[in-house]
Each structure stands twice: as C-alpha cells, then as structure tokens.
Amino acid sequence: MRHGSSSNCIDISADVSTVVSGHVDGGLRFFDLRTGDRTADIPSLHAGCITSVGFDPMDSRKILTNGKDSMLKIVDVRMCRAVKTFEDEGFRTTLSNSRCSFSPDGNYVTAGCNQSGTLFIWKVESESGEVEKKLTTHQKGCVGVAWGRGGSSGQQVASIDLGGNLVLWA
C-alpha cells in the first residue's frame, strides 16, 4: 500500500474493508484492505497538510478531515468529494498533529484551535455552517479531541492542549 506523500493520519472503516489516509500534500487516499490496492485519491482536498481523518461512526460513507487551511471537511466516499466545509475566523489549525472528531451520533463535529485553545463544535446539518458552540478553558493550543458516549448527557468530549492539560466536557 504505497502512496506518494507523507501521511499524518489514518483510519479504518467500521466494516474493516477500507483504510483512508490524509497526506502532507493535502490529498486523501483510499485503500482496499483485502487487496492492498489504492481505490481512490482526492488530490488537494485541503490547501495544506491534512492533520486528521475519521470515519463517521454512524455512516462509513462519510469521512471528517482537518487541514492546515483551518477547515474541517466532510467527504462523501462514494462521490470522492467534500460535501460540507466548516470554518470560523477564530479557528486555526497550524500543527500537523491537530485532531478532529465526529460525535458518536454523527450529528456534530469538533476540533480545537492550535493558537487560542478554544474547542469548536459545529452541527453537521446546519444550513449556515456556523459554529454551534465554542468552549474555552485551555490556556495553550488545543491539539487533540475525542468524543465518546460518557458523561451525564451520554455525550462527552475530551480535549488536550500543548501543555498536556486534559479537559473532559459533558
């Protein structure tokens, strides 16, 4: 399974048939795990390095990406193109290890700002694409996020900043 650019991130589909990788050249590549063949390539999906990829936990035909162009994008695997873009003037992705995540129900996406430490949450089906919520606690840039089913609401986000401070949001 060779590719032409360094990769920062990878994820495997729930049916364990497809692997997707995000690359420094801004491209997204798909591979068949049974044969090892590259099955699709979306060049220049982001204007800069892709820092994170992840399949939608409820719909493995959708992938969330984060790029150094400071945008999150949802990609439809069948169409091999971005179908939704999320951005905000206060959101900045400047580091190659910046992660993003779908909520467990696939209705929201989140990522942290590498500069301010603010955690941004967008509603996937929002017509405007505006930020639903901004959470602030981190004193340094936020680089990691994970969204699970914990907490009192059944929705819990964990975030970590450059200083190693972990915050659990419920």
Side-chain angles (χ1 to χ4, degrees):
M1 291 190 219
R2 300 243 346 127
H3 49 78
S5 171
S6 295
S7 178
N8 284 329
C9 48
I10 191 167
D11 198 18
I12 298 173
S13 63
D15 65 4
V16 195
S17 65
T18 303
V19 65
V20 62
S21 56
H23 294 261
V24 173
D25 64 5
L28 197 62
R29 294 172 179 82
F30 300 87
F31 299 88
D32 183 316
L33 282 174
R34 294 165 291 215
T35 65
D37 294 334
R38 187 188 304 187
T39 56
D41 191 355
I42 305 173
S44 304
L45 177 67
H46 284 275
C49 172
I50 294 179
T51 67
S52 181
V53 296
F55 281 94
D56 181 329
M58 299 303 290
D59 184 354
S60 61
R61 298 170 298 182
K62 295 178 184 171
I63 295 169
L64 179 65
T65 64
N66 188 4
K68 278 194 171 179
D69 54 5
S70 299
M71 294 182 198
L72 300 186
K73 295 185 180 190
I74 294 179
V75 174
D76 185 305
V77 174
R78 297 163 299 173
M79 294 188 282
C80 281
R81 68 177 182 87
V83 293
K84 189 87 175 192
T85 299
F86 305 95
E87 58 186 323
D88 183 85
E89 71 178 40
F91 177 70
R92 295 288 173 265
T93 300
T94 59
L95 302 170
S96 297
N97 60 339
S98 301
R99 299 298 172 235
C100 61
S101 180
F102 273 106
S103 63
D105 59 11
N107 291 331
Y108 296 89
V109 296
T110 186
C113 178
N114 298 156
Q115 294 172 336
S116 69
T118 302
L119 191 66
F120 289 77
I121 299 173
W122 290 269
K123 188 170 184 162
V124 170
E125 295 303 322
S126 167
E127 292 295 321
S128 68
E130 289 182 20
V131 172
E132 179 91 5
K133 218 177 251 189
K134 295 179 186 179
L135 304 174
T136 57
T137 289
H138 290 289
Q139 300 302 308
K140 295 188 176 191
C142 182
V143 292
V145 295
W147 204 321
R149 295 193 182 275
S152 59
S153 66
Q155 298 273 330
Q156 187 167 40
V157 176
S159 59
I160 194 161
D161 66 27
L162 289 167
N165 298 303
L166 175 74
V167 177
L168 296 176
W169 309 87

